[in-house]
Amino acid sequence: TTTTTTTTTTTTTPTPASHSPGVALVVAACSQLPSSPDPTTYTAPSTLQTLLPTASSSAALNLPTSDPTPLPNNNDETNSITVSISETQTSTDSRTHYTSTQPYTSSVLSARYLTMDGSEARESGGRRVMEVCLSLPDDFSFSYSPGDSVGVCVPNPPSAVSLVADRISGPKSVTIDGRDVPIAEFLQDRVNIMGVLRRRELEALSPFCSSPAEASCLLFLGSKVGSSAYSSVVSSNSLSLVDALTLFPSLSPTADALSSAFCGVSPRYYSVTSSPLQDPTRVTIAFAVVDYTAPTTHLRKLGLATHHMESLCLPLLSASPRVAGLPAGLRPPLPPMKLRTFPHPTLHFR
């Protein structure tokens, strides 16, 4: 008697659930489109493929862009990084020209919530509006008029900087003007790690994924073919570099790639809500704190500047009415609360 055993091998096609979270999002977005190539196997056109470096390359990236707003190309010999922030005019009667690159260090004089139950809303991520009063130079060199704005320069959050720094491959420093800058210092404000990723940036990141599926998806999102998927995955979720590192675990870019493809952190502008006629040595701004959950990724999104200012002002916001009502000499000392600011005139109000 002869017994024959037949072994059947079944090949299972990976489902979106078996992919990393980022790949699953892109695949799900493409499944809702009438016709779209498989994003997990997407390859760049031959004209672009020749320009894509390998992950081991130390050369700075120089990719073509489909974004109408070009990014700076910092490929000089010293790998210096130029932040694309335009100079900002000061008021015509200012003797000192405070700008985005030479801001004034203001002290926070007071802060309060304009919405009710601000503290409770902060814990739950609810809507809250703040008013912050800032000091100005007593020599009247920082002048403003009704209708003007105040520019605020803030760094990237330390937690985000730490996350990105841990995922950097290659050298952990960048040479700027002949000086070796540690990667953590470099990421503070020279790379916009919290901004919405643009197509060119996605293309630049794709070669640094060790997973072929993740690399193809990032490349697909950065292509013209993937514009609809870009809108539903990146734009609608305000996807940043920090988010991409969370959703695409194999992504590990080099410092050179970030310095070449990413801009620096831009200042934020807030309309003044005070008059210099009342007190020219202080200015008040009001703003809504950006705090929401992205619809598809379900990641919590916090405004870079508004969250920074709210966190900075927590000692004032959390003080009990009993303590806040004490004379200045009897209040417990507060930690220094500083913001880098500059005037931003609205010329058509003149």
Side-chain angles (χ1 to χ4, degrees), residues 145-149 271-272 344-350:
S145 300
D148 286 354
S149 299
S271 298
V272 300
H344 185 258
T346 306
L347 298 181
H348 61 265
F349 267 72
R350 297 292 188 263

Side-chain angles (χ1 to χ4, degrees), residues 5-283:
T5 302
T6 304
T7 303
T8 303
T9 303
T10 303
T11 303
T12 304
T13 302
T15 60
S18 66
H19 289 307
S20 65
V23 174
L25 281 173
V26 179
V27 171
C30 291
S31 67
Q32 301 175 4
L33 301 175
S35 61
S36 177
D38 183 355
T40 62
T41 59
Y42 179 78
T43 56
S46 57
T47 54
L48 176 61
Q49 190 68 43
T50 58
L51 298 175
L52 290 176
T54 61
S56 60
S57 173
S58 60
L61 301 178
N62 184 19
L63 299 177
T65 177
S66 57
D67 195 314
T69 304
L71 293 173
N73 185 11
N74 309 316
N75 293 329
D76 58 17
E77 296 179 356
T78 60
N79 290 328
S80 63
I81 299 166
T82 303
V83 179
S84 292
I85 301 176
S86 58
E87 289 291 329
T88 304
Q89 289 181 304
T90 57
S91 299
T92 55
D93 54 347
S94 292
R95 293 188 292 275
T96 302
H97 290 266
Y98 296 111
T99 66
S100 58
T101 54
Q102 294 180 329
Y104 173 73
T105 303
S106 295
S107 297
V108 177
L109 302 177
S110 64
R112 62 175 180 142
Y113 286 115
L114 300 180
T115 47
M116 296 183 64
D117 300 324
S119 298
E120 290 80 359
R122 184 174 67 246
E123 299 300 327
S124 61
R127 173 176 169 77
R128 50 204 186 274
V129 178
M130 286 182 58
E131 180 186 76
V132 176
C133 183
L134 303 170
S135 68
L136 298 180
D138 55 10
D139 61 356
F140 309 106
S141 58
F142 189 126
S143 60
Y144 70 95
S145 300
D148 286 354
S149 299
V150 172
V152 178
C153 303
V154 299
N156 288 312
S159 58
V161 169
S162 177
L163 187 150
V164 177
D166 289 343
R167 295 282 290 275
I168 292 292
S169 61
K172 296 295 184 178
S173 64
V174 178
T175 303
I176 302 175
D177 297 331
R179 182 174 71 93
D180 285 339
V181 178
I183 193 64
E185 180 183 340
F186 163 68
L187 292 172
Q188 282 183 356
D189 55 15
R190 295 178 183 271
V191 181
N192 187 19
I193 63 177
M194 301 297 291
V196 179
L197 287 166
R198 293 190 278 186
R199 290 193 179 98
R200 178 186 173 180
E201 295 165 349
L202 290 163
E203 290 177 345
L205 292 173
S206 63
F208 300 97
C209 289
S210 58
S211 164
E214 292 184 9
S216 295
C217 283
L218 288 178
L219 189 61
F220 177 75
L221 290 174
S223 66
K224 292 182 178 179
V225 178
S227 59
S228 296
Y230 174 89
S231 178
S232 60
V233 174
V234 180
S235 297
S236 65
N237 291 286
S238 300
L239 205 70
S240 66
L241 174 60
V242 173
D243 298 332
L245 291 173
T246 302
L247 297 173
F248 299 90
S250 75
L251 176 59
S252 183
T254 63
D256 282 339
L258 298 184
S259 68
S260 178
F262 284 74
C263 292
V265 179
S266 299
R268 271 58 172 174
Y269 300 96
Y270 302 95
S271 298
V272 300
T273 59
S274 58
S275 171
L277 298 178
Q278 184 178 12
D279 189 345
T281 64
R282 59 179 61 198
V283 63

